[in-house]
Amino acid sequence: MGLTAIQALRAVVSNQSGAARDWHIDDLRQHELRYLADLALIESLAPKGPVLEVGAAPCHMSALLKLSGIGAVGVDIQPQRVGDFIRAFDLDVRRCDIEREALPFADAQFSVVLLCETFEHLRIDPAFVLSEIHRVLAPGAALLLTTPNLYALPNLARLALGRSIADPTHEFGKLRMLGHMGHVREYSAREVGDFLRASGFVVESVTYRYHANKRGRRATLLRLAYRLTPRRFRREIVIVARKQGDGPRLRPLDPPAAD
């Protein structure tokens, strides 16, 4: 009996070596349940053409899509960071600085676009990113956007204690450590919805979720708190939006310098 898609992904991740090994292992440990939930949601959307993952590295979701028989293309600011993993699965991941460059695809090319756990990392021009996603989606096609919830219980607790939601030294430090920015800003569902509507999308659904992937007393207490409070205080926002009509067709505010 062959391996399932997630088992095959685990096997390749566990065999990674080099500078990105710790990133691969930690990312899959933290996000495996989210990847599986996103995969189920994408399958329910029944894409009739290729799927685009924006902000793909470490490319675990792109690999999981391919292992599940879904044609996927990825874009990332520095795909060479995980080149060994990309080659292991023969993935199609293009280099693109999504806040400074147009996506390297024709109009209306994709049946689903994933912008998962990436929106909060954008530090220059989120509106341009959404404009480009709108452009490359087929009419009526879906965008799956997931992002941390500004009003999640842990965030509210930190603010009540006079602490910031994220340590800016650590988040900016990821530019050198990982090659991309950490969390610039976390948003409410209403704020993300406003961005999407301004970019030519219709919001089809908004849900909230958390994944119980940690152990220990604090994690147990947090799971209990999530069960006892309204869903809008859970850790993650999940939005499905549809392309409708013409988008704003924005140009980048900060294009890369010419060679």
Side-chain angles (χ1 to χ4, degrees):
M1 186 174 180
L3 297 176
T4 64
I6 194 64
Q7 287 171 338
L9 177 59
R10 287 190 204 124
V12 173
V13 165
S14 67
N15 288 326
Q16 289 297 294
S17 60
R21 174 178 166 79
D22 289 345
W23 181 19
H24 279 296
I25 291 173
D26 183 65
D27 183 272
L28 189 57
R29 178 178 60 82
Q30 294 279 351
H31 298 293
E32 179 178 318
L33 295 177
R34 175 176 69 81
Y35 290 147
L36 291 171
D38 288 346
L39 177 62
L41 184 50
I42 293 161
E43 289 175 336
S44 74
L45 293 171
K48 293 180 173 59
V51 172
L52 172 65
E53 182 182 17
V54 177
C59 301
H60 296 169
M61 190 66 205
S62 290
L64 192 59
L65 288 168
K66 184 171 184 178
L67 289 165
S68 302
I70 298 173
V73 180
V75 292
D76 190 78
I77 191 169
Q78 292 183 36
Q80 70 274 17
R81 297 176 292 171
V82 290
D84 289 344
F85 184 86
I86 289 171
R87 286 186 287 274
F89 285 105
D90 192 25
L91 301 176
D92 183 357
V93 183
R94 321 280 178 90
R95 195 217 66 80
C96 182
D97 186 343
I98 61 172
E99 293 192 89
R100 291 175 170 164
E101 300 172 299
L103 291 171
F105 307 108
D107 295 0
Q109 186 171 341
F110 295 98
S111 60
V112 174
V113 172
L114 281 64
L115 187 67
C116 295
E117 306 307 295
T118 298
F119 196 68
E120 67 277 7
H121 296 270
L122 301 178
R123 64 192 179 107
I124 298 171
D125 194 1
F128 172 69
V129 175
L130 292 177
S131 170
E132 278 295 289
I133 289 172
H134 187 280
R135 178 183 67 78
V136 301
L137 271 171
L143 165 64
L144 170 59
L145 189 156
T146 72
T147 192
N149 180 12
L150 175 64
Y151 295 121
L153 289 180
N155 288 353
L156 297 178
R158 290 187 189 100
L159 291 173
L161 293 171
R163 297 164 54 191
S164 62
I165 290 174
D167 173 14
T169 304
H170 177 70
E171 300 302 330
F172 275 92
K174 290 180 181 179
L175 284 167
R176 289 182 171 84
M177 182 173 61
L178 294 177
H180 63 257
M181 180 65 191
H183 290 197
V184 176
R185 187 188 191 285
E186 295 188 5
Y187 296 88
S188 70
R190 177 175 292 181
E191 289 171 326
V192 179
D194 288 344
F195 259 117
L196 290 167
R197 283 182 283 271
S199 301
F201 290 93
V202 172
V203 175
E204 185 172 278
S205 66
V206 179
T207 56
Y208 301 87
R209 68 187 182 192
Y210 74 98
H211 299 295
N213 59 353
K214 294 184 179 180
R215 300 291 181 266
R217 181 172 178 272
R218 290 179 63 182
T220 300
L221 290 173
L222 182 58
R223 287 196 292 272
L224 178 62
Y226 277 138
R227 293 190 185 105
L228 295 175
T229 54
R231 296 178 69 90
R232 66 179 179 274
F233 297 121
R234 293 187 174 183
R235 181 63 187 128
E236 192 175 13
I237 301 166
V238 181
I239 296 179
V240 175
R242 297 274 177 182
K243 175 176 177 174
Q244 183 179 74
D246 296 326
R249 292 293 180 114
L250 301 179
R251 294 188 177 188
L253 293 173
D254 185 20
D259 293 333

